[in-house]
Structure formats: C-alpha cells, structure tokens
Amino acid sequence: MSTHSNGKKRKFVALPRKTFLGQTNADWYIYWICGVASIANIFQGFDSGIYSIIISDQRFIDYFNVAGARAGVVTSMINLGNVIGNLFVAWWFIWYTGRRMAFALGTIVLLVGVALQAGAVSFAMIVIGRIISGIGTAVIGTNLAAYQAEVSSPAVRGRVVSFVQLSYQIGVLISYCVGLGTVKIAGQNSRRTATALQCIPGVILILASSTIPESPRWLLERRPDTPERALRELSKLRLLPGDHPDVQAEFLDMVAAREYRMEHQGDLSWSAFSSQYAVWRRLAYGMATMALGQISGVGALMIYGVLIFESLGFSSGTMSLLLNVVSGVLCLLATLVTTTGVDKWGRRITLLAGSALMVLSHIIIAALSDAFPADSDPNRGAAIVEVIFIYVIEMAYSGALGPTAWIYASEIFPTHLRDKGVNISQAAQQTTTLWINQAWPVMFATVGHNAYWILVGINSLGFLMVLFFWPETKGVSLEHMEKIFGEVDQVDAFKGEHHWTNSEVVDRMVDKATEQHLEDVVKWKETERSVAE
C-alpha cells in the first residue's frame, strides 16, 4: 500500500527499469504468460490447416462421399460451432468461471469434438464433431483475446493480442507439416492420426492454464468484495509492489471506471446491453472489423488451398502440400511483422494496408484467370503468378486484417462487456467464414474465376469503410476508451465528481478500496470533498 503501518508515506524514486532487447522485464513477463495462453489458438489454426489437407484426400472423399456442397458442410461446420459457442456458451464460461478456468473448460469441450472426428465412421459423426470443436475453439479463442487485452499495458497491448493470430498461424504451419507426414499413412488411419494429434496441445493448455495469473480486471468486476485480490494480481503482472504509484494509478482507473458505472448505470442486463446506442456502436465496429478479413475470401483460399493449387496445374499431391507449407511459413512471418510493429504504426493503417493488398491481389488473380483460363488455356507462368498473389492475400490477412481484428475487438469494450462484445464480434467473423466456406465450392463451380472479381468489389468496400469511419485506438488505456468513441470518459468523470485532485485523498481511497469492500468507497464522498477543498 501507499503508507506504512507507522503512517509514513513511502517515497518512490523513478529509476529506469531493466530492459532486454528494448523491452522491460515486466513486458517480457506479459509476453511469456500470454504466449503460454496462446496455446489455445493453435487448435483453431491446426484444424483449419489439417482439414485443407483432409478434404483433398481421395480416401476421405470416397469414404464419406464428400463432394460439392457436402465438402462445404465439412469445412464450415466448425464455423457453425463457433457461432453457437460465441452467442450462447463462450461468454458464459468466460464471465462466470474466470479467464483462467475458461481455458481448461473450453479445451475439454474441444477435445470431445476432436475425439468424435478422429473416430468417425459416418458423415454425421464428422459434422457433430466439428460443431462441438467449434464451440470449444470459440470459448478458448475469445477468452484468449479478452485475457491478453486485460493483463497487458497500453504500450504493448497490440502486439500481445496479436499473439491470437500468431498462435493460429503456428497451428496452421504445424498442421501442414503434419499433413506431409500423415498423408502417407494407409487408409483412414491417415486422417485419424492427423486429427488426434490436436490432443497434445490440448493437454498442455489444461496444465498451463493453472500457472498463469487471473485477469485483475475480471477479479475486480466479479469479486468486488475482495479488491485486494485484483490489486495483488495487477502488482504481480507489472512486477511492481502494490504501493507503487504506477500500479496504484492503474488500479484507481479500474476502480473509478467501475464505480462510475455502478453509480450511473448499474449492472447491465441483456435488455440494457442490447438497447444502448453506445454498446451497439462498439458492436458494429467489432463485428465489422472481424468480418472484414473473412469477406476477403482468405478462409476459402486457405481451406481449399490444395484443391486450388491443383486446379492451377500443380497436380502432384506432394507439390500441392509443399505449396501449403510455404504458405504457412509466409503467413507466420507476416504475423510476426505485425506483432512487432502494430503498437508503433497503429490499428487503422494496418487495416488499410491489408485491405489495399487484398484488392490489388484479387485484381491480378482475376485478370490472369480471364486471360489464361486454367481449364481451356492454361499458362504455367500465369499459374505461378496467381499462386504468388494467393500467398500475398493470405499474408495480408495473417499480417494485417486477422491480428488487428482481434486487437480492435478486445480493446474497444469495457471490462463488464468485453466477454459479450468479443464473442458477438467473433460470431460475425465466423458467420462470414461459414458463408464463404460453404458457398465457395458452389460459387466457383457456377461462376468460375469470376468469383475473384466479386471479391475485388467486397474488399474495396471494406477499405473505404475503414478509411472514412474507423477511429485509432493505439496507446489508449482500456479504462479511457470511451473518449475515442465520443462518450463520457468514466474515469475522469468519476474523479471530477468526487474531487480526486488531492494526492492524500487518492492515497486514502486506494487504502480503503484494498482493505474493505469496494462498494464502501462511496461513503467517502463527503470526506473527499472536504479534504480537496
């Protein structure tokens, strides 16, 4: 605390903190615990990658009679599970059980789905297993974004939340490498082995989730009667004592934001949640940003990658799989670029750069497809260029639209709405992915390469939306995000109403908040005024 037992105020001297590669020890600690938590999103990346290989395997196609729209069902059912999980399951797990526990519970759900898929002897088992897996990945994926946003400082929040996409790309790359090995296994044991290998990161995540700190913001919201727990976790995360001015300042912002809401709004019910313009506005931004990357068609390009490469003339199964591995490496590198730089150049410019690359790449692919149709006038040089720009599209998503969507959606909502907001935003992404993945085989069979021109128009519209309407959130504290959207800054408003201008009052408020029930803070109102005046 800010005072000793003898009543003397403890003095802190601002000393430069130790750094390694330009990052403080506290930053590296955040990277470590969020890296451990990011094992969660390796699942979804592995699933997307491994099924791009499985659905191109003739043995799987023949066994389950997978063709046309039926192939779309296999690939898109995990997205249906994601939507179900986002809207009805994930937010409940995250809010009521806590961020740490949600990792373990979501993984258990996911592993049930994996078991059904690995042991499937009928098409129905594949479909049900993928839906259940989708529910599990919805829980751990959205929980990961919320957790990383809440434990990180504004200076590193962007790169930390981009671990969501980074871990996804690691999962994709691992699956491509696994596919190269398991495709040679005889019969149905090939896809069974590839699918069952997801159990390894699952067990690791369940064990690792018990070693990371709980989110102090979640603790303050859900356990207001023991605010000292939130302060203790915050102190642990920042590698500073609880009475350090930086820790107290951040803790006070958390206290003030909650107290202002309780005084002026109270706890939001679902009806209040759905009836407030400020909430709808943020939901619109979160949902649109999440959907922006998927309407590019990148999900279809990734899941049907092997089939697309084969349609361009790379008919060798091994060659198509190797092209997939190259794609995985390039996407991972692109994500690393954003992870290291998004907190420097911001969210808007990253989204705009990604959208611009999407538009340019689709134009080139569509033009080459018009000039050299693969089915009637194949051209090896044109096919190679098309593969290159398919890579560019995937890299633009992995290095820009994908990670930035998670960053944006996780930071624009206040703590008491973050679980619902992130899940509804993610539901928009998965709904879009569900539509694209389900429609792609039929659309491509109907309009052929003209599908790329459709994507040119969609991506151009997305670019213009970001250019004219998206605010920048770089470097803004989670408790001060309201001012970005033209709303009342709840922290400043509460401090103004209660005359939090005197340092002694602030010290007393911190002591009070951490020693007694947080709601008792309001009883100090008259005392604060008299001291401040």
Side-chain angles (χ1 to χ4, degrees):
M1 294 310 303
S2 58
T3 55
H4 294 300
S5 58
N6 60 7
K8 293 183 179 179
K9 185 177 175 63
R10 183 174 175 181
K11 300 291 184 181
F12 285 91
V13 179
L15 297 174
R17 303 190 69 179
K18 293 181 179 180
T19 62
F20 176 70
L21 297 178
Q23 304 294 301
T24 67
N25 291 342
D27 290 340
W28 282 111
Y29 180 58
I30 294 296
Y31 298 155
W32 166 252
I33 62 174
C34 289
V36 170
S38 292
I39 296 171
N41 225 38
I42 289 178
F43 288 117
Q44 197 158 0
F46 187 95
D47 179 271
S48 296
I50 206 65
Y51 262 85
S52 72
I53 297 169
I54 289 174
I55 64 169
S56 66
D57 190 329
Q58 195 61 45
R59 294 168 296 183
F60 177 79
I61 294 172
D62 294 340
Y63 189 87
F64 292 106
N65 189 26
V66 176
R70 204 168 166 101
V73 170
V74 172
T75 59
S76 61
M77 283 304 97
I78 194 165
N79 305 118
L80 176 60
N82 288 154
V83 174
I84 294 172
N86 290 141
L87 295 180
F88 305 108
V89 181
W91 67 268
W92 190 93
F93 271 74
I94 298 168
W95 180 244
Y96 288 104
T97 68
R99 312 309 195 210
R100 293 199 308 170
M101 183 61 71
F103 284 127
L105 295 176
T107 301
I108 292 171
V109 173
L110 173 61
L111 291 179
V112 171
V114 168
L116 280 172
Q117 293 175 73
V121 294
S122 67
F123 186 73
M125 288 182 69
I126 290 287
V127 171
I128 294 172
R130 289 186 63 70
I131 291 174
I132 294 174
S133 291
I135 294 173
T137 55
V139 174
I140 60 180
T142 52
N143 183 55
L144 175 62
Y147 178 80
Q148 291 176 332
E150 291 178 357
V151 301
S152 56
S153 65
V156 300
R157 189 174 61 237
R159 72 189 66 165
V160 167
V161 179
S162 67
F163 284 6
V164 177
Q165 187 67 33
L166 183 65
S167 56
Y168 176 90
Q169 295 305 147
I170 291 173
V172 169
L173 180 57
I174 291 173
S175 71
Y176 289 163
C177 295
V178 167
L180 275 173
T182 58
V183 73
K184 298 179 181 179
I185 298 176
Q188 293 302 305
N189 287 334
S190 172
R191 57 101 183 166
R192 294 186 197 280
T193 302
T195 303
L197 285 173
Q198 292 179 76
C199 294
I200 296 174
V203 173
I204 294 174
L205 179 59
I206 290 174
L207 296 175
S209 62
S210 63
T211 68
I212 59 178
E214 182 57 88
S215 162
R217 288 173 169 83
W218 179 85
L219 281 171
L220 191 60
E221 287 290 339
R222 296 295 298 155
R223 305 286 186 267
D225 54 323
T226 55
E228 66 278 2
R229 292 180 60 190
L231 182 60
R232 185 168 59 249
E233 293 297 283
L234 182 62
S235 172
K236 184 189 302 181
L237 288 167
R238 301 296 176 255
L239 298 184
L240 292 170
D243 56 349
H244 191 281
D246 291 348
V247 174
Q248 289 195 358
E250 186 172 359
F251 178 71
L252 278 170
D253 280 358
M254 293 162 53
V255 172
R258 183 181 187 278
E259 288 303 308
Y260 180 90
R261 190 186 82 248
M262 296 303 294
E263 286 188 4
H264 295 271
Q265 300 172 351
D267 282 328
L268 284 182
S269 62
W270 270 107
S271 59
F273 175 86
S274 61
S275 63
Q276 291 192 7
Y277 170 74
V279 174
W280 275 106
R281 188 182 179 197
R282 296 192 195 201
L283 282 175
Y285 278 112
M287 294 170 70
T289 308
M290 280 286 195
L292 185 63
Q294 292 304 318
I295 60 175
S296 67
V298 69
L301 292 178
M302 293 178 72
I303 199 72
Y304 299 111
V306 174
L307 298 177
I308 291 172
F309 292 145
E310 289 178 353
S311 73
L312 291 173
F314 300 96
S315 55
S316 166
T318 302
M319 175 59 73
S320 297
L321 290 173
L322 284 172
L323 288 173
N324 251 10
V325 173
V326 173
S327 167
V329 172
L330 292 174
C331 289
L332 178 59
L333 292 175
T335 310
L336 282 170
V337 171
T338 298
T339 300
T340 57
V342 70
D343 284 315
K344 298 177 183 177
W345 56 65
R347 291 35 163 168
R348 281 186 79 252
I349 192 65
T350 307
L351 288 171
L352 289 171
S355 292
L357 282 172
M358 292 280 191
V359 173
L360 176 63
S361 299
H362 279 303
I363 289 174
I364 292 173
I365 293 172
L368 287 173
S369 298
D370 283 346
F372 305 102
D375 54 350
S376 60
D377 185 20
N379 181 285
R380 188 68 170 180
I384 292 173
V385 173
E386 288 182 55
V387 169
I388 290 173
F389 279 95
I390 287 175
Y391 285 163
V392 173
I393 291 171
E394 293 177 350
M395 291 171 69
Y397 175 80
S398 303
L401 300 179
T404 309
W406 281 108
I407 296 168
Y408 212 78
S410 66
E411 64 187 6
I412 62 175
F413 296 100
T415 300
H416 68 294
L417 300 180
R418 186 164 295 112
D419 50 355
K420 298 181 181 69
V422 174
N423 274 285
I424 293 174
S425 298
Q426 172 69 350
Q429 182 191 62
Q430 295 302 331
T431 301
T432 308
T433 307
L434 174 64
W435 168 62
I436 290 288
N437 288 357
Q438 178 67 39
W440 183 267
V442 178
M443 181 173 68
F444 209 79
T446 304
V447 301
H449 59 262
N450 287 320
Y452 293 114
W453 287 115
I454 296 173
L455 294 175
V456 168
I458 293 174
N459 282 277
S460 298
L461 179 61
F463 176 86
L464 294 174
M465 287 173 57
V466 174
L467 180 64
F468 290 109
F469 299 109
W470 260 237
E472 180 58 71
T473 56
K474 178 186 71 172
V476 181
S477 168
L478 294 179
E479 280 71 41
H480 291 274
M481 199 61 68
E482 286 83 4
K483 63 184 179 184
I484 299 298
F485 295 92
E487 303 165 16
V488 174
D489 188 313
Q490 297 184 357
V491 173
D492 290 345
F494 185 80
K495 289 180 179 180
E497 289 177 2
H498 294 264
H499 301 280
W500 279 16
T501 57
N502 185 293
S503 60
E504 292 183 5
V505 173
V506 172
D507 287 338
R508 293 168 65 186
M509 291 297 292
V510 175
D511 289 338
K512 183 69 175 180
T514 54
E515 290 172 2
Q516 299 184 21
H517 193 296
L518 190 61
E519 294 177 355
D520 289 345
V521 170
V522 295
K523 297 179 181 179
W524 284 74
K525 187 172 182 179
E526 296 302 324
T527 305
E528 297 164 23
R529 281 209 184 102
S530 61
V531 173
E533 293 170 356

